[in-house]
């Protein structure tokens, strides 16, 4: 493992969440350690984890934190209070104690969000967390948030989400000034529902650090026109799942179409490989999973159906976000974007924007 | 044209709306008359319409109502008051005067909705209109509403939309008891935002005539699990456009994938036809367009990019809906579904449901 002056804590991996827990989770984590130099701590039933590490030939090489219980797949927001000793709760405690820097879980989204929200608490200045997902756009990726953490929001919360998404695109995709769009139902400023119209006004007032470029409609979500798309957690989740269902339908129909005649079937045989690669790329199991932003700690929520490969990716992502100081970057972005009337601090910004010192106009 | 005892009025066709107005619109309308026995009246600039009818060899065979102005493509809700002599406004006047039974327009959705809402007014008992679209599901079609007429709604409005959609699925698709789902972000009853959770309670109380089967997530929108999906106009429009964008992306990626190697390209040549048919089927220009439900008159909003073929389909659809007494069916459904405390009338229902006479519980 590469030495560094101040090494961030290890990534805590919840071995009890997901359809293929714990074996695939542990296998994926081990690959992250072996091939990507990621420091980890495995959280879950210690005897079971030891057994699997033994089988994989790395007995004693990865630290373990014991947890008795998993969040059940059908548990929601109340799970956290009921299960203070769940693997996710234990992982959050490690983060609070500075014994871990991030959490990776393939557990149920609602349970992971509720538990980590309760136990990690929101970062200073962040009133609601958001789940960021990366859409399969080309050539540049687009970050969509919120994909489902907070269903009912205020317009001001959407401005915060813009700050979270900006920090995320900077750290994850290396975009210097990410272009931010607002998901709505028409290109013109006056389009949308009340929430979105007001959020548009606030974003048009150009909060420092946020490069707002206007409205994005559903049919442009995958057009790669912006780096960040902001929406509430209800609309964002509907949109994300609609993408998944639509792509699945389209590819299934393609398979049916190219199997529809002898001539077409012969053609299909020649295309098996490119089509399989395409399915992998558009498959939600690959691009799926999200990062819960805005808490005192980084939380990567892997897809429930994650296999070992997806878990390895999630561990590497958590590691990269921690090294990119995502929590600190969010703190800076949110502090910068906050209107002066809430007492914005100037001292901790690299690029003060004095021309923005007037209160944002709401015309 | 086949004679009938009480013939409904002709369908008024707006020849001035859409990317290909007026020639493609008129051509499509003429085909509807010639091949589908639809009675029409063409609304727009009379000299231009006459010229085109002459060119198509049907001079003097289709009635014309003159209008001076079109709704501009960028006009929204205020267009109607500004343009009382627009082709859409004139068509609405024909409906109010019982000289037409329905309107077909490929004009801008916002303009057509605003104009027809102002001039036709809501049906008795309907507080907000909704746009119904038919999703490209198989084997059975699914009606999604509202696809964008009303962005901010109350939970009670969603119950009304369920009634509108039920009537529509009965008349258009011949489904006796359409299964109705609520678009949200989780399968369990408690999932969603405040609006949807309350609407779920109201629908679970089983308003007579509505077969509510529970929540539908975005990834199941195209699964064909229900006959009707109810949502607000904001979420519905985002979902519909997201489907369009996702299908477009997936098919473009398929084309790129199957052209990615010499071997694959050879295969592609054998599949050109099935893939083209698939694209046509999933293309929003084919399934696109919607019907504005809940007003005193049937309004078919064709896709802005409609060609003659799409306009013919829209004319036939308007004709079929009028013959199926859609406005009357909606009146019955809405009256049935209305809670007793609002003074539901029993006299005009075929299947009274006395067990539902208690007020709906809201547990």
């Amino acid at each position: 493992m590469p030495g560094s002056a101040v090494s961030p804590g290890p990534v805590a991996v919840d071995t009890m969440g997901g359809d293929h827990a714990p074996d695939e989770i542990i296998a994926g984590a081990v690959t992250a350690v072996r091939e990507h130099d990621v420091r980890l701590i495995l959280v879950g039933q210690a005897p079971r984890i030891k057994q699997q590490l033994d089988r994989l030939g790395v007995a004693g090489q990865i630290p373990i934190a014991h947890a008795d219980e998993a969040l059940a797949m059908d548990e929601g927001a109340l799970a956290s209070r009921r299960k203070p000793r769940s693997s996710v709760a234990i992982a959050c405690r490690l983060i609070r104690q500075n014994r871990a820097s991030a959490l990776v879980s393939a557990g149920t989204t609602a349970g992971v969000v509720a538990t980590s929200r309760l136990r990690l608490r929101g970062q200073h200045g962040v009133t609601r967390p958001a789940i960021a997902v990366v859409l399969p756009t080309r050539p540049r990726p687009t970050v969509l948030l919120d994909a489902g953490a907070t269903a009912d929001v205020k317009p001001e919360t959407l401005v915060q989400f813009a700050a979270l998404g900006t920090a995320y695109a900077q750290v994850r995709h290396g975009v210097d000034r990410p272009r931010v769009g607002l998901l709505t139902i028409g290109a013109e400023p006056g389009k949308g529902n009340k929430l979105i119209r007001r959020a548009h006004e606030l974003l048009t007032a150009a909060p420092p650090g946020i490069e707002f470029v206007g409205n994005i409609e559903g049919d442009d979500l995958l057009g790669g026109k912006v780096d960040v798309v902001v929406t509430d957690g209800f609309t964002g989740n509907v949109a994300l799942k609609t993408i998944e269902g639509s792509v699945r339908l389209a590819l299934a129909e393609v398979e049916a179409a190219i199997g529809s005649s002898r001539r077409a079937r012969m053609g299909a045989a020649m295309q098996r490989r490119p089509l399989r690669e395409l399915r992998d790329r558009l498959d939600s199991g690959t691009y799926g999973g999200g990062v819960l932003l805005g808490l005192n700690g980084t939380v990567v929520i892997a897809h429930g159906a994650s296999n070992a490969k997806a878990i390895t990716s999630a561990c590497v992502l958590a590691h990269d976000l921690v090294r990119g100081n995502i929590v600190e970057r969010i703190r800076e972005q949110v502090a910068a974007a906050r209107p002066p009337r809430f007492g914005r601090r100037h001292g901790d910004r690299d690029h003060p924007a004095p021309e923005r010192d007037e209160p944002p106009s709401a015309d």
Side-chain angles (χ1 to χ4, degrees), chain A residues 43-69:
Chain A
V43 186
Q45 293 194 294
R48 184 70 194 273
I49 296 173
K50 280 180 188 149
Q51 195 181 27
Q52 172 74 347
L53 290 181
D54 199 25
R55 205 178 294 149
L56 295 167
V58 285
Q61 293 179 36
I62 303 178
I64 298 171
H66 181 72
D68 288 317
E69 300 177 294

Side-chain angles (χ1 to χ4, degrees), chain A residues 1 41 97 110 133 144-145 171 176 185 216 228 249 262 303:
Chain A
M1 233 157 285
I41 179 165
Q97 295 169 341
V133 295
L144 172 77
L145 82 171
V171 172
D176 191 33
I185 62 172
I216 289 287
V228 176
L249 173 95
R262 183 146 177 278
H303 205 280

Side-chain angles (χ1 to χ4, degrees), chain A residues 33-362:
Chain A
V33 171
R34 275 180 172 159
E35 298 180 10
H36 302 275
D37 285 340
V38 176
R39 280 178 62 212
L40 295 180
I41 179 165
L42 300 173
V43 186
Q45 293 194 294
R48 184 70 194 273
I49 296 173
K50 280 180 188 149
Q51 195 181 27
Q52 172 74 347
L53 290 181
D54 199 25
R55 205 178 294 149
L56 295 167
V58 285
Q61 293 179 36
I62 303 178
I64 298 171
H66 181 72
D68 288 317
E69 300 177 294
L71 297 176
M73 286 311 282
D74 58 351
E75 270 172 320
L78 291 174
S80 190
R81 289 173 200 279
R82 271 191 253 119
K83 293 195 169 174
R85 294 207 44 81
S86 71
S87 50
V88 174
I90 300 286
C92 289
R93 198 165 65 193
L94 293 174
I95 294 174
R96 293 196 61 143
Q97 295 169 341
N98 283 321
R99 291 165 59 202
S101 59
L103 158 66
V104 167
S105 177
T108 163
T109 301
V112 175
V113 169
T115 304
S116 50
R117 214 178 138 178
L118 179 75
R119 290 172 195 279
L120 296 177
R121 305 271 176 197
Q123 284 187 243
H124 179 72
V126 178
T127 51
R128 294 281 183 281
I131 295 175
V133 295
V134 178
L135 301 177
T137 49
R138 285 209 290 196
R140 286 161 24 141
T142 295
V143 174
L144 172 77
L145 82 171
D146 172 20
T150 310
D152 288 293
V153 301
K154 294 184 174 148
E156 292 76 13
T157 314
L158 293 178
V159 177
Q160 272 186 9
F161 289 176
L164 301 183
T166 296
Y168 189 65
Q170 286 170 339
V171 172
R172 179 157 182 188
H173 298 132
V175 184
D176 191 33
R177 294 176 61 84
R179 294 160 54 87
V180 176
L182 186 63
L183 182 59
T184 183
I185 62 172
E188 304 82 24
K191 292 299 178 68
N193 56 16
K194 280 179 203 153
L195 169 72
I196 295 300
R197 289 199 303 271
R198 178 64 186 142
H200 191 282
E201 286 175 355
L202 294 174
L203 285 166
T204 304
I210 295 174
E211 185 87 359
F212 179 59
V213 297
N215 289 342
I216 289 287
E217 290 192 79
D219 50 347
D220 267 341
L221 256 187
L222 296 177
K225 293 193 172 179
V226 293
D227 302 295
V228 176
V229 174
V230 168
T231 183
D232 62 275
F234 182 83
T235 308
N237 192 276
V238 167
L240 181 68
K241 296 223 166 147
T242 300
I243 292 172
E244 293 179 10
S246 304
V247 168
R248 199 195 308 144
L249 173 95
L251 294 184
E253 295 277 353
V254 165
E255 300 222 331
I258 65 182
S260 61
S261 72
R262 183 146 177 278
R263 190 175 153 78
R265 270 196 301 279
M266 279 174 57
M270 301 181 190
Q271 291 161 0
R272 219 156 266 156
R273 194 161 143 220
L275 280 181
R276 194 179 52 230
E277 286 167 1
L278 173 62
R279 194 165 34 239
D280 284 352
R281 197 172 75 71
L282 295 182
D283 183 15
S284 64
T286 309
Y287 74 84
V291 177
L292 185 61
L293 301 175
L295 303 182
N296 291 305
T298 299
V299 179
V300 176
I301 305 175
H303 205 280
S306 291
N307 55 15
K309 195 178 153 194
I311 295 298
T312 303
S313 301
C315 292
V316 172
L317 173 59
H319 176 77
D320 289 348
L321 291 173
V322 169
R323 287 174 67 107
N325 292 315
I326 181 72
V327 174
E328 173 64 13
R329 285 295 303 124
I330 286 174
R331 194 185 62 72
E332 291 168 7
Q333 281 291 346
V334 170
R338 208 181 311 155
R341 62 177 176 277
F342 295 158
R344 202 174 83 226
R345 293 178 303 174
H346 278 283
D348 51 8
R349 296 190 63 240
D350 292 325
H351 310 288
E355 75 275 20
R356 297 291 178 213
D357 270 350
E358 319 82 57
S361 67

